[in-house]
Amino acid sequence: MISISRLSFSFGKQLALKDINFSMRQGEFVFLCGPSGAGKTTFMRILHGALAVQRGKVDVAGYNMNTLSENRKHFLRRDVSVVYQDFKILPDQNVFANVELPLKVRGVARHIIDKRVRAVLRSLQLDKKAQTLCEELSGGEQQRVAVARAVVVKPKLLLADEPTGNLDRDLAMRMMDIFQQFHKFGTSIMIATHNQEILERMPCARIVTLENGVMHEERLMHGVTP
Amino acid sequence: MMVFFRLFFQGIRDLFRVPWSLCMTLAAITLVCFLGGAFLLVLHNFNLQIEARHGNVQFQIFWNTQADKEEVQKTWAGLSAMEGVVNVRTFTPDQALDVLGESFQKNIDLDWMKGRSPLPPTAILDCQVPDAEQTKWAQSTLSTLKALPHVEKVSFNPLQVDLLTSWVGFTKMAFWPVIVFLLLVVALVVGNTIKLALLTRREELEILRFVGASRAYIQFPLLVGGLFQGVMGSALALGLLGLAFHFIKDLLNIPPLWITISFLPSMHCLTMLGLLGAVGMLSSLVALRN
Ligand SMILES: Nc1ncnc2c1ncn2[C@@H]1O[C@H](COP(=O)(O)OP(=O)(O)OP(=O)(O)O)[C@@H](O)[C@H]1O
Ligand SMILES: [Mg+2]
């Protein structure tokens, strides 16, 4: 699903990612941990084509990110969904309009859009807010809208940047359940987080850490039960 | 196909999201188109007038009052054979006196002057200017007439010939620069509006890209927006021009001009709509490329 060799990335003089080698098989569930400023968001933006590869080779979902032109990036983004740390939802539109957006740009038929969006909103307990403008939502609600928008298309690969950052414990756990469900149906998932609790919730997940732009393979959590 | 129509109407709907910007743009385009349309209207009517009285020039020849009558009348016989001459009217001094008397509307009796009229023998030539070499023709005719025996003075309306040639020259020279200039202004205005829309909607368009919208999906509505602005602006301008036309069409329909102004032919109007739509779309395309 992802294969990266010798990836480095810098903002001007500041090196954000250093010589990263990483690969992820299809159907894998990976946690990307690390302190603030370690480069997690930068890493995910590169995987999504929002930042261009500067050095190294990056391959995501069968797309060579070194050569993928701007005109063809939407093909990648139809296979790879992202939950952004800052949500990137449209504040002046309602919840439903935001969640249906990726289906609309794919030209999905209206009745299928309605069905799928409703189902996703229900599973994230947003069905009562469907007609509410996003700027009137709380941080946690906005985050759930961002997650709903990412999973509604049933992506091959889901990248989520701190998807539980604004949620209370209960909602965070519910969110992890949803991710787990999608994982069961074959979606590969990478979640950036520093929430220790959700790590423990997913005992068979693989954990990698970023620290100052350097990646370490942490451990495979086997048999740790909460 | 459904997507096509949806994006088409979305492009128009998006324009109305920033109504003041749309209004300003439309106002600017309308103004420019109105000026262009007025220019075309003037041109069109001038051409109609020129066609209507195509190259009709009058020469008036005055003979010396002391000239021998017989000799003058012999010359008159030859006048109609000259190149371009359509009609010859001649006046002996007495006839001229009659005409003069008539123009005084018989308030003054000039009969006592009969037989010793102080007026010279006169001839008026109505000529049809040959299409080619108009100026040369006018000059040679003039010198031929002047060279006739006992001719004292030849007056003609050089203005008519000159005006004709210079107008045709001017329109040929000015038409395209003016049109191109106006189109350029429209292109800049539309291009700027699209750029502004791109700027104000940058985040939204970025999000669309992130959730998998193709470039065409994002750009097509903007192109439609450019097209719509061009067509709307020119349609408004034509409407205004029509309104203005309604008020001025009889302005020159008075003696002695008798000129009825006619509106632009519908082909011109359609061309204008199409051209401006195309320019609007083209300039948004350029704005999107950068
Ligand atoms: N647009 C930018 N311009 C310049 N430097 C940047 C930019 N974005 C990130 N950085 C720098 O790159 C480094 C990595 O940032 P990144 O956002 O990837 O960290 P992170 O691991 O996501 O942190 P957090 O957990 O706080 O979200 C930081 O030192 C940051 O200052
Ligand atoms: Mg981050």
Side-chain angles (χ1 to χ4, degrees), chain A residues 29 31-32 44 82-87 124 139-148 150-151 158-168 171-173 175-176 179 189-195 198:
Chain A
F29 200 123
F31 280 115
L32 184 63
M44 290 203 158
V82 185
V83 181
Y84 287 91
Q85 198 168 10
D86 55 357
F87 315 146
L124 283 162
E141 286 163 340
Q142 291 188 19
Q143 187 150 44
R144 279 180 284 154
V145 173
V147 172
V151 298
L158 177 69
L159 306 172
D161 199 351
E162 303 277 359
T164 58
N166 291 280
L167 304 180
D168 60 45
L171 266 174
M173 290 310 147
M175 180 84 73
M176 290 319 295
F179 284 142
I189 298 180
M190 178 186 283
I191 296 176
T193 185
H194 25 224
N195 185 339
I198 65 169

Side-chain angles (χ1 to χ4, degrees), chain A residues 48 50 70-71 74 77-78 84 88-90 102 104-106 149, chain B residues 3 6 17 203-204 206-215 217:
Chain A
H48 196 229
E70 194 61 38
N71 281 332
H74 63 281
R77 287 165 182 167
R78 288 179 186 194
Y84 287 91
K88 294 208 191 296
I89 54 182
L90 299 168
K104 248 168 93 175
V105 303
R106 286 162 172 75
R149 192 185 64 193
Chain B
V3 177
R6 197 159 58 73
R17 294 208 317 214
E203 276 195 20
E204 180 196 342
E206 189 193 45
I207 289 173
L208 276 174
R209 284 293 278 158
F210 279 154
V211 300
S214 65
R215 269 190 149 178
Y217 185 96

Side-chain angles (χ1 to χ4, degrees), chain A residues 11 14-16 34-43 45 85 161-162 194 210:
Chain A
F11 291 102
Q14 193 196 349
L15 208 55
S36 184
K40 302 184 293 292
T41 301
T42 307
F43 186 63
R45 288 176 74 194
Q85 198 168 10
D161 199 351
E162 303 277 359
H194 25 224
L210 263 176

Side-chain angles (χ1 to χ4, degrees), chain B residues 171-215:
Chain B
T171 52
K172 272 191 192 136
M173 211 174 63
F175 181 77
W176 285 112
V178 170
I179 294 299
V180 167
F181 175 74
L182 294 177
L183 288 182
L184 206 69
V185 173
V186 170
L188 284 178
V189 169
V190 174
N192 252 329
T193 319
I194 298 294
K195 257 192 202 143
L196 198 72
L198 280 177
L199 269 181
T200 51
R201 294 175 53 202
R202 220 181 60 191
E203 276 195 20
E204 180 196 342
L205 299 181
E206 189 193 45
I207 289 173
L208 276 174
R209 284 293 278 158
F210 279 154
V211 300
S214 65
R215 269 190 149 178

